[in-house]
Amino acid sequence: MITHIQGKLIEKNPTDVVIDCNGVGYLLNISVHTFSQIPDKEFLKLYTHLQIKEDSHTLFGFSSLAEREIFRLLISVSGIGASTARTMLSSLTPKQVREGIASGDVALIQSIKGIGAKTAQRVIIDLKDKILKIYDIDEVSVSKDNTNKNEALSALEVLGFAKKQAERVVDKIIVSQPDANVETIIKQALKNL
């Protein structure tokens, strides 16, 4: 409904800004990334996302269309709300989030406060194909074996296996089957653990 707001910057905080647009002050929740991108000048334009709930209407502001797109992708994932998505974009730049998801870097996504291993894996599983398609990232440029290995290892850790033991088994599987996908690696590892 509201795609951007342009007006006079009234108030600037690390988590929100107030923009006066023709005499109406709009409070926009922002990420730390957007905060760092906002110049200290009087006039400002931020791209917005309007979230409507039963008890509130909340505007989120973004310095770039790319950041807003990543935010919208993140909130489409089950278990990721607007505040978690904003935290993710405050902890990492939109580019880091995008590349972390594209390369299947569970550890990077999990390094964000409030994101556990299962949520990080869900974000990657749900968004990887969309990110690769939208940003036309060539998956070959990402080291495939390491991605599959890391995803398999983190899945095995979640299942309760010791990292060192799991890593030894997974390394043997990758050497014998270099083209094995994550599912195959996990299934083979479970037989040998």
Side-chain angles (χ1 to χ4, degrees):
M1 186 180 142
I2 300 171
T3 190
H4 74 266
I5 291 190
Q6 187 169 333
K8 186 177 178 183
L9 181 61
I10 303 297
E11 196 179 315
K12 177 182 169 186
N13 302 306
T15 56
D16 56 66
V17 292
V18 175
I19 299 177
D20 183 311
C21 186
N22 296 327
V24 178
Y26 291 92
L27 173 73
L28 284 83
N29 291 292
I30 59 171
S31 67
V32 174
H33 174 74
T34 291
F35 176 76
S36 68
Q37 301 294 310
I38 294 174
D40 284 322
K41 61 181 185 183
E42 207 174 322
F43 222 68
L44 181 65
K45 176 181 178 179
L46 289 180
Y47 299 98
T48 59
H49 174 83
L50 176 63
Q51 182 182 53
I52 298 176
K53 289 185 170 180
E54 288 176 26
D55 58 347
S56 68
H57 290 188
T58 311
L59 266 175
F60 293 89
F62 307 94
S63 60
S64 68
L65 288 167
E67 184 180 10
R68 182 175 72 181
E69 185 59 34
I70 295 288
F71 176 85
R72 287 178 171 170
L73 285 171
L74 290 170
I75 62 174
S76 73
V77 176
S78 171
I80 302 283
S83 61
T84 304
R86 185 169 69 153
T87 301
M88 291 175 81
L89 290 166
S90 293
S91 304
L92 303 168
T93 66
K95 188 177 181 200
Q96 287 173 316
V97 172
R98 189 175 74 214
E99 289 174 354
I101 293 169
S103 65
D105 192 342
V106 176
L108 178 72
I109 305 298
Q110 200 181 334
S111 70
I112 299 161
K113 185 181 181 293
I115 302 283
K118 285 184 179 174
T119 305
Q121 287 169 333
R122 190 179 318 118
V123 167
I124 289 167
I125 289 166
D126 287 4
L127 298 182
K128 187 173 184 176
D129 291 342
K130 290 178 187 172
I131 295 264
L132 292 169
K133 196 164 122 189
I134 291 169
Y135 295 97
D136 201 24
I137 299 169
D138 190 1
E139 209 170 358
V140 178
S141 68
V142 176
S143 174
K144 192 175 152 202
D145 292 338
N146 285 346
T147 302
N148 288 350
K149 176 184 170 180
N150 292 341
E151 282 184 39
L153 281 173
S154 62
L156 291 167
E157 278 184 77
V158 169
L159 293 171
F161 293 100
K163 186 173 184 169
K164 288 222 185 290
Q165 183 188 6
E167 200 161 7
R168 273 196 300 270
V169 173
V170 168
D171 283 339
K172 283 180 188 171
I173 294 164
I174 290 173
V175 169
S176 65
Q177 301 174 20
D179 294 335
N181 63 14
V182 178
E183 193 179 342
T184 307
I185 295 170
I186 293 169
K187 284 180 181 176
Q188 294 287 327
L190 288 172
K191 290 177 188 171
N192 295 312
L193 283 169

